[in-house]
């Protein structure tokens, strides 16, 4: 407990050199893309997974939406891999930084909105007013819909940041509690350790789910606007 | 050996500090090892199965191509054999045709012969008829002349002679009875 709880969330520096770029680029090494028909097991399983996910995720889109396939697939792979790698001890997760998540969410969301306004102007404007509203409520509802539209990217980014950061914090806290309790009362430490294990399983799931949710929402915004 | 020594050294000298991250790392490690032990072989077998399917598909294409080519070769050989046998077929057909022609020719020959025979028979019968007519005519003429030449006297003489003969004959008959 020499450092404060938030030490793992600072920009990683090694002898004064920011290596955060290296850390962000690192997960791409884990996804080989050979050009053969028969690959090793890792590449085969990854290929199969990507095929499965892309089929499910792009089945709802028309042709125009399916041009975003590469973007969505790389998004889910990046977020999933960085989240999973962050569960290792002493590692830095880029997705805990709000700056990075905003940098991912705002351009993607803005892309879908602008595309919608360019191609289907009337329908995009019509999204601001849900069907069947009584006449006096219309002005207020338009304002509310506008606010909800502009909140979308912020919600995307903050959701991802908060979930991953909260998970990491919980792990560190409970780990610290276990460490302290080991000297005082080993049995409680054991219970806390079991809680930690359960939490780790949850965090694994959360890592993957957050990636999925992010990508799904982007694809949903895309679907509305193509 | 080196690992254990290094680890103990780092722990004792607090080069590697035991903090909450150690516990977190330990729990992650436990979960990971458990998951890999449990699902590792299955995932490996699955990946192998995927690859096997790909190889099997390619192999199937190759086998189908080879089989169709072999079939084509066998068919070609059969066609060549058939071509050789075609000569016998043509010979048989040719002799068949020749036989038909021969039969037809013989039939017509027979027909011609019968027609000619009919005509000749007709002529022969005609001649027979004429001959008979002439004969009859001659006999009639001779009879007529003979009868004409018979005078009355000769008639009487012959009749008297006939009566005398008859009497003699009757006498002879009466004698025999």
């Amino acid at each position: 407990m020499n450092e404060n709880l938030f030490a793992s969330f600072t920009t990683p520096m090694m002898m004064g050199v920011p290596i955060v770029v290296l850390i962000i680029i690192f997960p791409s090494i884990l996804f080989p893309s050979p050009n053969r028909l028969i690959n090793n097991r890792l590449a085969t399983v990854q290929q199969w997974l990507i095929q499965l996910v892309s089929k499910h995720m792009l089945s709802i889109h028309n042709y125009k939406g399916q041009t975003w396939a590469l973007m969505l697939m790389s998004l889910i792979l990046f977020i999933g891999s960085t989240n999973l790698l962050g569960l290792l001890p002493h590692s830095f997760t880029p997705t805990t930084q709000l700056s990075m998540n905003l940098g991912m969410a705002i351009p993607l969301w803005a892309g879908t909105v602008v595309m919608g306004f360019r191609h289907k102007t009337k329908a995009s404007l019509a999204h601001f007013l849900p069907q069947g509203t009584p006449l006096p409520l219309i002005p207020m509802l338009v304002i509310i819909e506008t606010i909800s539209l502009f909140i979308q990217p912020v919600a995307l980014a903050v959701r991802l940041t908060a979930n991953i950061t909260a998970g990491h914090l919980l792990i560190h806290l409970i780990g610290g509690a276990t460490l302290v309790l080991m000297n005082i009362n080993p049995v409680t430490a054991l219970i806390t350790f079991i809680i930690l294990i359960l939490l780790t399983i949850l965090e694994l799931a959360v890592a993957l789910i957050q990636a999925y949710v992010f990508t799904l929402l982007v694809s949903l915004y895309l679907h509305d606007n193509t | 050996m080196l690992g254990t020594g290094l680890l103990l050294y780092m722990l004792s000298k607090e080069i590697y500090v035991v903090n909450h991250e150690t516990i977190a790392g330990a729990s992650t490690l436990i979960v990971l090892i458990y998951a890999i032990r449990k699902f590792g072989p299955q995932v490996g077998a699955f990946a192998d199965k995927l690859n096997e399917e790909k190889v099997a598909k390619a192999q199937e294409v190759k086998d189908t191509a080879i089989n169709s080519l072999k079939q084509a070769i066998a068919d070609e050989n059969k066609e060549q054999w058939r071509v050789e046998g075609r000569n016998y077929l043509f010979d048989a057909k040719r002799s068949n045709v020749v036989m038909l022609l021969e039969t037809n020719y013989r039939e017509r020959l027979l027909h011609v012969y019968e027609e000619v025979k009919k005509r000749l028979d007709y002529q022969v019968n005609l001649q027979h008829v004429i001959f008979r007519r002439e004969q009859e005519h001659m006999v009639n003429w001779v009879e007529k002349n003979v009868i004409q030449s018979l005078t009355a006297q000769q008639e009487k003489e012959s009749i008297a002679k006939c009566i005398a003969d008859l009497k003699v004959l009757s006498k002879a008959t009466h004698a025999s009875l």
Side-chain angles (χ1 to χ4, degrees):
Chain A
M1 303 274 271
N2 301 331
E3 304 163 334
N4 66 9
L5 211 46
F6 293 101
S8 64
F9 297 122
T10 58
T11 318
M13 299 264 228
M14 191 148 79
M15 303 187 283
V17 179
I19 54 169
V20 61
V21 179
L22 275 178
I23 296 178
I24 293 180
I25 293 177
F26 173 71
S28 63
I29 299 178
L30 303 170
F31 293 102
S33 56
N35 287 331
R36 306 188 195 172
L37 182 65
I38 311 293
N39 306 318
N40 55 1
R41 284 178 177 181
L42 178 69
T44 314
V45 170
Q46 277 171 4
Q47 230 174 17
W48 170 79
L49 264 173
I50 292 176
Q51 228 178 359
L52 188 74
V53 172
S54 61
K55 246 200 285 203
H56 279 126
M57 202 157 278
L58 297 168
S59 54
I60 52 173
H61 292 135
N62 56 3
Y63 175 72
K64 206 150 187 58
Q66 278 173 358
T67 50
W68 278 57
L70 181 62
M71 186 71 229
L72 292 174
M73 281 308 113
S74 27
L75 196 64
I76 193 172
L77 279 177
F78 174 66
I79 298 181
S81 59
T82 38
N83 289 348
L84 280 174
L85 280 173
L87 290 171
L88 301 169
H90 299 283
S91 60
F92 171 71
T93 323
T95 41
T96 53
Q97 310 298 312
L98 184 64
S99 51
M100 181 168 125
N101 292 346
L102 273 174
M104 281 199 294
I106 292 188
L108 288 169
W109 164 84
T112 65
V113 164
V114 166
M115 220 165 85
F117 268 108
R118 265 173 54 180
H119 295 292
K120 289 167 41 168
T121 319
K122 246 195 310 186
S124 301
L125 282 172
H127 278 313
F128 283 127
L129 194 63
Q131 271 185 340
T133 58
L135 203 55
L137 280 174
I138 289 183
M140 205 172 63
L141 214 54
V142 169
I143 293 176
I144 290 178
E145 287 287 327
T146 319
I147 294 176
S148 99
L149 180 74
F150 279 98
I151 257 190
Q152 276 175 352
V154 179
L156 269 176
V158 171
R159 183 187 301 112
L160 189 57
T161 317
N163 268 309
I164 307 294
T165 316
H168 279 282
L169 266 176
L170 262 177
I171 287 182
H172 290 168
L173 276 170
I174 297 189
T178 318
L179 191 60
V180 168
L181 280 172
M182 267 199 314
N183 290 327
I184 300 172
N185 186 0
V187 177
T188 323
L190 198 65
I191 296 175
T192 327
F193 192 63
I194 292 175
I195 296 178
L196 188 56
I197 292 195
L198 292 172
L199 203 63
T200 315
I201 298 174
L202 177 66
E203 280 312 305
L204 279 171
V206 166
L208 295 168
I209 290 170
Q210 284 303 317
Y212 173 65
V213 165
F214 197 95
T215 317
L216 191 64
L217 282 170
V218 170
S219 101
L220 217 60
Y221 299 152
L222 191 64
H223 183 63
D224 275 343
N225 289 323
T226 37
Chain B
M1 194 68 207
L2 170 66
T4 318
L6 196 64
L7 186 65
L8 281 176
Y9 167 73
M10 293 200 347
L11 278 175
S12 69
K13 285 283 186 89
E14 292 259 325
I15 297 176
Y16 177 67
V17 180
V18 173
N19 50 10
H20 55 276
E21 304 239 17
T22 318
I23 313 281
S27 81
T28 311
L29 211 70
I30 287 179
V31 171
L32 269 176
I33 290 180
Y34 174 73
I36 289 177
R37 279 275 178 82
K38 188 141 183 241
F39 299 114
Q42 285 177 5
V43 170
F46 180 69
D48 287 341
K49 190 167 72 95
L50 285 174
N51 280 346
E52 272 307 303
E53 279 170 14
K54 275 195 202 168
V55 168
K57 267 195 219 166
Q59 186 72 17
E60 197 186 307
V61 167
K62 192 171 103 168
D63 283 342
T64 316
I66 289 182
N67 279 343
S68 69
L69 284 173
K70 274 195 194 153
Q71 188 69 21
I73 291 176
D75 286 340
E76 185 63 34
N77 281 338
K78 193 140 183 242
E79 285 303 311
Q80 282 177 354
W81 170 81
R82 274 207 193 125
V83 163
E84 284 168 22
R86 231 176 21 189
N87 292 332
Y88 298 126
L89 188 68
F90 290 161
D91 282 343
K93 283 196 173 172
R94 212 174 287 133
S95 57
N96 198 18
V97 164
V98 163
M99 237 187 328
L100 275 176
L101 284 174
E102 185 80 26
T103 317
N104 202 10
Y105 174 68
R106 298 251 169 99
E107 259 182 74
R108 284 191 303 187
L109 211 59
L110 185 68
H111 191 61
V112 159
Y113 169 77
E114 278 176 7
E115 286 290 313
V116 166
K117 187 155 160 338
K118 266 199 273 191
R119 306 258 156 85
L120 290 176
D121 280 343
Y122 170 72
Q123 294 297 330
V124 161
N125 288 343
L126 197 65
Q127 277 186 358
H128 278 318
V129 161
I130 292 176
F131 184 66
R132 237 197 343 256
R133 283 282 295 277
E134 285 179 356
Q135 222 179 11
E136 277 178 7
H137 185 259
M138 234 182 349
V139 164
N140 285 347
W141 185 77
V142 165
E143 274 184 7
K144 202 167 70 176
N145 280 351
V146 164
I147 290 174
Q148 273 178 347
S149 69
L150 278 179
T151 57
Q153 175 71 26
Q154 277 176 328
E155 249 184 270
K156 271 190 195 166
E157 280 182 16
S158 67
I159 289 176
K161 188 146 194 296
C162 284
I163 293 174
D165 281 333
L166 276 171
K167 276 186 186 165
V168 170
L169 274 171
S170 72
K171 274 187 191 163
T173 318
H174 276 298
S176 69
L177 279 173

